[in-house]
Amino acid sequence: MNQTIETILNHRSIRKFKAEAITDEQVNTIIKAAQQASTSSNVMAYTIIGISDNALKEELYKVSGHSHVKNNAHLLIFCGDLHRINQLANADESVSIEDNLESTEQFIVATIDASLAAQNATIAAESMGLGICYIGSLRNDINRVNELLELPNHVIPLFGLVVGYPDHQPDIKPRLPLEAVYHQNKYLPFYEQQKHIEAYDHEMKQYYQTRSSNTKIDTWSDQMVRKFSQPTRMDVSPFVKQKGLNLK
Ligand SMILES: Cc1cc2nc3c(=O)[nH]c(=O)nc-3n(C[C@H](O)[C@H](O)[C@H](O)COP(=O)(O)O)c2cc1C
């Protein structure tokens, strides 16, 4: 196994960081790695906002409710961004880009581009001995994050990424068996996935009972059904539309 694969397979989210800072050089390397990710037609439909202002971090922490949003070496916010393209097109009166700008297709492009960049940033950070945690809970109040970061139209905050030196070593969380997520030539009917899901539920039950902190009795299936039964962040859809994205 090479070092890159080892780094990837060693991933676990880090939610407690040492006070130790990271250098500007480290941050720049992480961002350069993010930028080198593949990007749909080279559109680069994302912007990454680094949060160095502690008062702003505190406000973002209030939105997320997670202490690791304020206690970290650096916080990055990944935004889907079609503003740049719109500005370019606005300068040319002979073209109209509205149909594309407002399409679900370009909304998907922006979220994919931002996610690929973030995962490259993750691997770069982890390869330097740093830990990370994605922060979707910034969407607990997406309008507030939008306001705090002064995002223009066609820019939406998708998630944060906290980075720093790990101050704990959580157990690696098992994933679904490969057969459940990797299907051959066509979609595997659910009844054939079921045995893999049952095996995973068994494994996760053990994992939750024996992990080094926050033990509980639960299975993945129960957790997912509970999660999806609870309407969550229903204000995100109107927010995205109000920003001029995913309208058609
Ligand atoms: C897009 C995204 C958003 C996430 N949001 C949060 C979050 O708000 N807070 C948090 O503590 N973890 C968050 N996570 C981390 C996941 O809970 C974690 O990746 C998952 O449980 C698997 O655990 P692992 O990363 O330790 O393997 C997020 C992960 C992703 C990919």
Side-chain angles (χ1 to χ4, degrees):
M1 198 186 301
N2 68 41
Q3 257 188 341
T4 308
I5 304 290
E6 247 174 62
T7 300
I8 292 170
L9 295 183
N10 199 37
H11 164 78
R12 70 284 307 273
S13 291
I14 298 299
R15 298 181 174 86
K16 246 180 105 195
F17 297 99
K18 292 185 176 146
E20 197 175 339
I22 63 173
T23 64
D24 287 348
E25 196 187 338
Q26 281 173 303
V27 172
N28 288 345
T29 303
I30 290 167
I31 302 300
K32 278 189 177 299
Q35 286 191 273
Q36 207 54 36
S38 293
T39 155
S40 316
S41 308
N42 208 25
V43 173
M44 296 174 264
Y46 62 90
T47 290
I48 306 164
I49 303 184
I51 310 296
S52 49
D53 177 339
N54 281 335
L56 183 53
K57 252 190 191 177
E58 178 70 28
E59 291 305 310
L60 292 166
Y61 152 69
K62 283 185 200 160
V63 172
S64 87
H66 293 160
S67 59
H68 40 291
V69 171
K70 61 174 169 181
N71 302 320
N72 54 62
H74 202 42
L75 168 61
L76 302 169
I77 313 287
F78 285 79
C79 303
D81 183 355
L82 290 169
H83 177 70
R84 269 192 293 270
I85 305 297
N86 190 37
Q87 292 298 105
L88 290 176
N90 279 347
D92 181 348
E93 280 176 13
S94 69
V95 298
S96 162
I97 69 160
E98 207 172 279
D99 278 350
N100 279 320
L101 196 66
E102 297 182 348
S103 69
T104 297
E105 166 61 16
Q106 293 306 326
F107 168 70
I108 291 175
V109 161
T111 54
I112 293 175
D113 272 10
S115 305
L116 296 181
Q119 189 55 23
N120 258 24
T122 291
I123 295 165
E126 291 181 339
S127 76
M128 298 175 191
L130 298 165
I132 65 95
C133 187
Y134 281 85
I135 306 293
S137 50
L138 289 177
R139 298 192 307 277
N140 286 347
D141 191 347
I142 199 164
N143 284 283
R144 177 71 178 141
V145 176
N146 176 59
E147 180 185 291
L148 286 168
L149 304 181
E150 303 179 15
L151 304 180
N153 235 9
H154 309 112
V155 181
I156 52 170
L158 294 171
F159 49 80
L161 192 72
V162 292
V163 184
Y165 285 100
D167 198 21
H168 67 153
Q169 171 91 333
D171 302 299
I172 291 179
K173 194 182 278 182
R175 297 300 199 251
L176 277 165
L178 180 145
E179 295 82 354
V181 299
Y182 181 54
H183 305 179
Q184 303 286 345
N185 300 312
K186 60 180 183 195
Y187 192 82
L188 193 68
F190 178 71
Y191 65 85
E192 289 192 29
Q193 293 182 39
Q194 237 161 346
K195 60 176 179 292
H196 305 304
I197 294 172
E198 278 165 21
Y200 185 57
D201 277 341
H202 185 71
E203 189 180 6
M204 283 304 278
K205 203 170 180 175
Q206 297 279 106
Y207 163 81
Y208 283 134
Q209 275 175 325
T210 57
R211 68 180 175 181
S212 50
S213 65
N214 191 22
T215 55
K216 57 184 176 185
I217 294 175
D218 211 348
T219 66
W220 180 76
S221 297
D222 286 350
Q223 210 181 358
M224 291 304 116
V225 173
R226 273 200 317 277
K227 177 179 166 64
F228 279 83
S229 310
Q230 194 72 40
T232 310
R233 302 174 187 154
M234 302 310 282
D235 56 338
V236 169
S237 170
F239 167 81
V240 169
K241 289 178 172 32
Q242 184 207 315
K243 296 290 284 187
L245 297 172
N246 197 24
L247 285 162
K248 13 183 120 150

